[in-house]
């Protein structure tokens, strides 16, 4: 396969929509019906913990034929989505496997994408898939909320339909064959993706920079509501506008990161993305007006997604076919450990000095520019 099929983009859009139609009602039901706060936040915890199991899930991706794996996993998500009809607490029991399947499908899609397109086209393909994810992400929560207010029956059935259609589209994708593997897992097999990422200096540098960029992104984004609503004393509508700028920057970065890499080269693209994200952090460090925060959010989203598109293409493009699921799982695991610490650290630093977390993250991204530049064309 030399080009990215439209059916894959459509399948990813439907799957992302289905996950939104399941997740938002789940979060809302947990918040309204749970007797204690820790129970209300339990679904969020489950979603985060699923990323920490990415190492064995990546090994599963490499053991199955990827197209078939996606079909089965998404069909299971369709059935679990009907669990919204059961209500709490049964829904919490179904949420854990649902989020595990979501992580599994994400890893499988990343590996399948690398299988289907040429190595030199991988950035562009990842950028287009990422843009689809961001576009649907921007719409799915308002749509799910609207449907939930009309009838609690609508989200589960529409989620079931979205997942089912996505599975049919995955079913039509080209299939490949996998190398025979041992019938049982072993620690070396599960950890082989991490070893691959660490073995080459260029991959190691990009991996470290991508994890730190993910950490910085999570830290800064978590502080934007506080900045808009508390510090600048603006309305929730203004915060929504700032979020729209962040989404617009992320959408643009995903597309531009894929489209411009062939002209600029990977190294130059990565360094430019770091500089743009750093500028976004500094825009938010000393805000005199909410418009500066919105511009900073746009630049941060633009730089971060452009970087992630290229860095992910480097990881998967260099990985051998039979190792791509574990390589993708290795990164998801590492970023899943560090990223949740960003909001905590951001809150602590902001109590010392409000500009401090933004300025420190801007400086961190600047420091990474020469770090990534070495050994990267």
């Amino acid at each position: 396969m030399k080009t990215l099929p439209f059916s894959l983009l459509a399948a990813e859009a439907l799957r992302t929509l289905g996950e939104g139609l399941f997740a938002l009602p789940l979060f809302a039901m947990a918040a309204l019906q749970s007797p204690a706060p820790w129970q209300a936040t339990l679904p969020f915890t489950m979603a985060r913990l699923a990323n920490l199991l990415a190492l064995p899930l990546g090994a599963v991706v490499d053991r199955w034929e990827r197209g078939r794996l996606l079909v089965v996993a998404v069909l299971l998500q369709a059935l679990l989505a009907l669990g919204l009809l059961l209500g709490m607490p049964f829904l919490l029991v179904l949420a854990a496997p649902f989020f595990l399947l979501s992580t599994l499908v994400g890893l499988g899609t990343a590996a399948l994408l690398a299988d289907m397109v040429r190595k030199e086209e991988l950035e562009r393909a990842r950028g287009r898939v990422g843009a689809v994810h961001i576009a649907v992400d921007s719409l799915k929560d308002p749509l799910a909320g609207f449907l939930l207010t009309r009838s609690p029956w609508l989200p589960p059935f529409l989620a079931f339909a979205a997942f089912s259609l996505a599975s049919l589209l995955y079913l039509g994708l080209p299939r490949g064959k996998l190398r025979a593997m041992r019938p049982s897992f072993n620690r070396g097999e599960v950890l082989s993706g991490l070893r691959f990422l660490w073995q080459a200096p260029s991959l190691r540098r990009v991996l470290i920079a991508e994890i730190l960029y993910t950490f910085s992104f999570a830290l800064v984004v978590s502080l934007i509501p506080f900045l808009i609503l508390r510090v600048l004393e603006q309305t929730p509508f203004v915060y929504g506008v700032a979020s729209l700028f962040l989404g617009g920057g992320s959408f643009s970065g995903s597309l531009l990161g894929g489209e411009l890499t062939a002209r600029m080269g990977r190294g130059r693209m990565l360094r430019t993305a770091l500089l743009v994200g750093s500028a976004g952090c500094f825009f938010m460090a000393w805000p005199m007006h909410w418009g500066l925060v919105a511009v900073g959010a746009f630049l941060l989203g633009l730089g971060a997604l452009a970087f992630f598109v290229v860095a992910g293409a480097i990881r998967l493009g260099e990985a051998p076919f039979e190792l791509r699921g574990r390589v993708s799982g290795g990164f998801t695991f590492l970023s899943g450990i560090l990223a949740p610490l960003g909001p905590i650290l951001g809150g602590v630093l902001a109590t010392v000095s409000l500009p401090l977390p933004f300025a420190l993250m801007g400086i961190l991204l600047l420091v990474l520019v020469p770090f990534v530049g070495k050994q990267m064309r």
Side-chain angles (χ1 to χ4, degrees):
M1 174 64 61
K2 301 300 183 183
T3 59
L4 182 66
F6 176 78
S7 58
L8 179 59
L9 294 175
E12 285 296 284
L14 287 167
R15 178 179 69 84
T16 304
L17 176 62
E19 291 189 353
L21 292 173
F22 176 85
L24 186 137
L26 169 65
F27 297 154
M29 292 170 66
L32 294 172
Q33 301 179 25
S34 297
W38 71 268
Q39 293 171 312
T41 60
L42 192 57
F44 292 91
T45 305
M46 290 179 179
R48 299 299 182 270
L49 288 176
N51 286 337
L52 299 183
L53 295 175
L55 289 177
L57 292 176
V60 172
V61 169
D62 289 332
R63 282 174 169 264
W64 278 50
E65 189 277 311
R66 306 202 221 276
R68 185 177 302 171
L69 174 67
L70 293 176
V71 171
V72 173
V74 173
L75 281 176
L76 288 175
Q77 283 188 294
L79 294 175
L80 290 172
L82 294 177
L84 288 170
L85 300 172
L86 300 176
M88 310 290 282
F90 299 102
L91 187 53
L92 287 178
V93 178
L94 300 178
F98 181 90
F99 289 124
L100 284 175
L101 287 169
S102 179
T103 300
L104 177 66
V105 173
L107 298 177
T109 303
L112 180 64
L113 189 62
D115 300 340
M116 295 175 65
V117 301
R118 296 191 301 264
K119 181 178 176 180
E120 58 272 18
E121 292 291 324
L122 191 51
E123 285 91 353
R124 180 174 296 175
R126 282 178 57 84
R128 291 177 179 176
V129 171
V132 168
H133 287 163
I134 294 167
V136 178
D137 268 334
S138 301
L139 299 173
K140 64 182 177 59
D141 285 349
L143 175 62
F146 172 79
L147 293 173
L148 189 61
T149 59
R150 293 298 179 270
S151 171
W153 297 80
L154 286 175
F157 284 115
L158 290 179
F160 177 84
F163 282 125
S164 300
L165 289 174
S167 68
L168 289 176
L169 292 171
Y170 286 130
L171 187 63
L173 295 175
R175 295 184 177 183
K177 295 182 179 179
L178 293 180
R179 187 177 65 182
M181 302 179 75
R182 295 188 184 96
S184 60
F185 285 108
N186 60 76
R187 186 175 64 179
E189 176 187 343
V190 172
L191 298 178
S192 57
L194 288 176
R195 287 198 299 269
F196 176 84
L197 287 170
W198 202 253
Q199 69 181 5
S202 58
L203 285 175
R204 191 184 313 144
R205 288 177 179 275
V206 173
L207 173 67
I208 293 172
E210 189 175 11
I211 290 172
L212 290 176
Y213 211 154
T214 303
F215 172 81
S216 302
F217 184 84
L219 186 154
V220 173
V221 169
S222 69
L223 288 173
I224 292 178
F226 180 80
L227 205 59
I228 294 286
L229 299 174
R230 293 282 296 278
V231 177
L232 297 176
E233 299 180 341
Q234 296 296 317
T235 64
F237 173 77
V238 173
Y239 168 59
V241 173
S243 297
L244 183 62
F245 270 74
L246 176 65
S250 301
F251 180 84
S252 302
S254 186
L255 283 180
L256 292 176
E259 299 296 329
L260 296 180
T261 300
R263 300 179 184 179
M264 298 177 61
R266 286 176 166 176
R268 188 179 177 188
M269 188 72 239
L270 291 174
R271 293 190 292 273
T272 301
L274 285 166
L275 290 171
V276 171
S278 178
C281 292
F282 287 124
F283 259 93
M284 288 182 275
W286 294 276
M288 303 300 294
H289 188 271
W290 70 265
L292 291 176
V293 179
V295 172
F298 179 88
L299 292 175
L300 179 64
L302 179 68
L305 268 294
F307 190 96
F308 298 155
V309 162
V310 179
I314 293 171
R315 278 188 280 109
L316 291 172
E318 295 296 326
F321 170 80
E322 67 276 5
L323 202 61
R324 284 171 177 158
R326 281 164 286 176
V327 166
S328 185
F331 168 75
T332 302
F333 170 77
L334 292 175
S335 62
I337 291 176
L338 193 57
L341 300 177
I344 297 174
L345 179 61
V348 171
L349 293 174
T351 59
V352 177
S353 172
L354 183 62
L356 186 59
F358 299 97
L360 285 179
M361 293 305 103
I363 293 170
L364 174 62
L365 297 182
L366 285 178
V367 171
L368 290 174
V369 174
F371 178 77
V372 170
K374 293 180 179 180
Q375 302 177 344
M376 181 59 60
R377 296 190 299 272

